[in-house]
Amino acid sequence: MNWTKAKTILIIALLITNIFLLVTYKAVQDNNEQTEEDLLMETIALLESKNIYVKNSLPTKHDKMPVLIVEHDRIDSHELQRYIWEQTPLDESKRSREGSIRYAEDFLKRCGLWGSNVELDKVEEVDGKTLVHFKNVFNGIRIEKSYIICTIEEGKITEVERSWLNPVEFGRTKKETMSASAALIILMSEKHELESILVEDMEMVYWLEETDYESQTTISDTAFPAWKITYNGGQTKYVPAYND
């Protein structure tokens, strides 16, 4: 037997097989993408038939996610009040939006309330007061119902409202999460027949139902992935994202 010729034939056969597999894989991927797009279009049409309209494009990424173990964090209200009393007012020339943000950040750092998870959320002007809102973001995902709000009047922080969850660790296993369109179908099934809904935003968050937390000791809890749906001028709905 001519081994050189046999090896050449084998190499050619393997190349042909690899090319076939590559072409087949690409065709399957294209078909899946088309199916996903068709499903999304059909979902949008169904939602609109039920008076649910989506302002922006829906998120398409919905990977497997673990739960997140968190701890409720308390602060010493007397110590916080001491920092409020001892602060030096912000100079009038710096009382801009950016100046207020920096002032609030510096204040939280002095109080020991700043950390890598604290991110600016929004700034509001209400009745002559500046409200600087901060959110809790861990590994790029917001921990919902966890926030700090600094109220600034005449260049001084007069109040700090804080409800904070410290992330501890992820759960050991990751589970499938539903798509944004599936979450909207659930919203559709729960709304009143004649109600019209404009979906303004959708975001995957970590969320746990509100509890009356008054303990003086550290309490652990479990936050689950959920779709946060913002609609009709800032109203919110949370849809648990696990499929089961």
Side-chain angles (χ1 to χ4, degrees), residues 15-34:
L15 285 172
I16 292 172
T17 301
N18 287 337
I19 292 171
F20 173 76
L21 290 173
L22 183 62
V23 171
T24 302
Y25 173 79
K26 183 66 168 61
V28 169
Q29 287 294 101
D30 290 344
N31 186 58
N32 286 342
E33 289 175 5
Q34 187 63 39

Side-chain angles (χ1 to χ4, degrees), residues 161-173:
E161 182 182 345
R162 183 177 184 266
S163 177
W164 201 254
L165 297 168
N166 288 322
V168 178
E169 62 180 355
F170 287 115
R172 293 184 178 180
T173 59

Side-chain angles (χ1 to χ4, degrees), residues 144-156:
E144 198 63 17
K145 306 297 183 181
S146 183
Y147 60 87
I148 305 172
I149 304 174
C150 294
T151 300
I152 302 176
E153 297 181 70
E154 298 181 354
K156 295 180 68 174

Side-chain angles (χ1 to χ4, degrees), residues 90 94 96-107 114 120 122-123 130 132 134 152:
L90 182 63
K94 298 180 180 179
S96 61
R97 181 182 184 277
E98 293 304 318
S100 296
I101 293 171
R102 286 193 296 272
Y103 187 76
E105 290 178 355
D106 290 342
F107 180 84
W114 189 261
L120 178 68
K122 61 182 178 180
V123 179
T130 300
V132 184
F134 296 95
I152 302 176

Side-chain angles (χ1 to χ4, degrees), residues 63-66 68 117 119 135-144 167 170 203-207 224-226:
D63 296 334
K64 290 183 178 181
M65 292 177 63
L68 178 64
N117 300 335
E119 292 187 10
K135 57 186 177 180
N136 190 349
V137 180
F138 183 63
N139 274 26
I141 301 177
R142 181 169 184 161
I143 303 176
E144 198 63 17
F170 287 115
E203 176 187 10
M204 183 69 81
V205 298
Y206 274 109
W207 172 73
F224 292 87

Side-chain angles (χ1 to χ4, degrees), residues 51 114 210:
N51 292 327
W114 189 261
E210 292 185 43

